[in-house]
Amino acid sequence: MSELSATERTRHRRLREQGRTEREALFEVLRAGFVCHLGVVVDGDPMVVPTVYGFDDAQLYVHGSVASRSLTRGTTICVTITHVDGLVLARSVFEHGVNYRSAMIYGVPRVLEDDEKLAALRCLTEHVAPGQWDHARQPNRKELAATTILAAPLDEASVKVREGHPDDADDPHGVWAGVLPLTLSWQAPVTDPHAAAHPVPPHILARTGLPY
């Protein structure tokens, strides 16, 4: 599908001009980060947990301990991803805002079986740190058994993007207005003292200085 779903939960009601309906817009937001917020209801109370994620064309993967209360099954979850690109500083405080890219994903996730976990963990690891799966030791049976992985479908999602300058160009108040951009980038690797005998691998060095 080239278009995102438009359900009652994902339909753009406010600031529709910031809404994105292309499925590729969702993937752009997912590719740009690796931390999401997983929203669930546990024992009748809301819980929002920050966690890393991976994804493929059809599913988003999150993982954690088998004892984690947030990794529930059989119930709808809401996953959000947000990237802040800058502060929008207007002539009026009321018109101040944020340039951002965000996605909201709804669905009932599936708990992966043992024979599916390894591929999902590879997907997640390679999204967070490309090249790391083949560099590090891969999970053993005991570690896999202690891990729960949820696969949430990407069928129901909403994307919004705000960019550009303030919207109050016609405000007569004579002060500076504009955008204060925010960028994040990877810094030089810091070697674990216990790994001092080993050089930093090329796939890690290649990310130094690149955007977050």
Side-chain angles (χ1 to χ4, degrees), residues 125-163:
T125 303
E126 286 298 294
H127 173 60
V128 172
Q132 190 67 9
W133 182 261
D134 291 328
H135 173 76
R137 178 181 65 79
Q138 296 172 14
N140 56 38
R141 289 184 179 181
K142 182 178 180 180
E143 291 166 338
L144 287 175
T147 303
T148 294
I149 303 177
L150 297 184
L154 297 178
D155 298 330
E156 188 178 4
S158 176
V159 175
K160 278 192 171 182
V161 176
R162 201 279 182 202
E163 53 193 359

Side-chain angles (χ1 to χ4, degrees), residues 7-196:
T7 68
E8 281 302 302
R9 291 189 292 208
T10 62
R11 182 165 56 88
H12 298 129
R13 291 176 172 82
R14 295 186 62 255
L15 301 174
R16 294 182 181 179
E17 71 278 5
Q18 296 179 13
R20 300 293 184 269
T21 60
E22 307 84 8
R23 192 170 180 82
E24 178 58 26
L26 172 62
F27 291 125
E28 288 178 1
V29 172
L30 290 173
R31 285 194 292 265
F34 61 89
V35 174
C36 67
H37 285 82
L38 169 65
V40 298
V41 175
V42 178
D43 297 332
D45 295 318
M47 177 185 294
V48 179
V49 181
T51 184
V52 298
Y53 67 85
F55 69 99
D56 56 29
D57 288 344
Q59 301 173 109
L60 181 135
Y61 302 103
V62 294
H63 78 302
S65 166
V66 293
S68 175
R69 298 171 68 224
S70 65
L71 300 181
T72 57
R73 65 188 71 197
T75 186
T76 300
I77 64 172
C78 178
V79 177
T80 61
I81 303 99
T82 304
H83 309 297
V84 176
D85 295 320
L87 293 178
V88 180
L89 304 172
R91 295 153 187 84
S92 161
V93 171
F94 180 80
E95 294 293 342
H96 281 38
V98 175
N99 280 343
Y100 68 94
R101 293 159 289 153
S102 70
M104 182 178 293
I105 301 163
Y106 287 96
V108 178
R110 183 172 64 89
V111 177
L112 297 190
E113 302 294 338
D114 288 346
D115 60 346
E116 302 174 287
K117 289 182 179 179
L118 208 59
L121 286 174
R122 175 170 187 151
C123 177
L124 195 153
T125 303
E126 286 298 294
H127 173 60
V128 172
Q132 190 67 9
W133 182 261
D134 291 328
H135 173 76
R137 178 181 65 79
Q138 296 172 14
N140 56 38
R141 289 184 179 181
K142 182 178 180 180
E143 291 166 338
L144 287 175
T147 303
T148 294
I149 303 177
L150 297 184
L154 297 178
D155 298 330
E156 188 178 4
S158 176
V159 175
K160 278 192 171 182
V161 176
R162 201 279 182 202
E163 53 193 359
H165 285 286
D167 295 327
D168 64 346
D170 58 350
D171 191 304
H173 193 57
V175 297
W176 178 91
V179 175
L180 184 62
L182 174 65
T183 60
L184 299 174
S185 62
W186 298 105
Q187 305 302 300
V190 180
T191 299
D192 180 346
H194 298 287

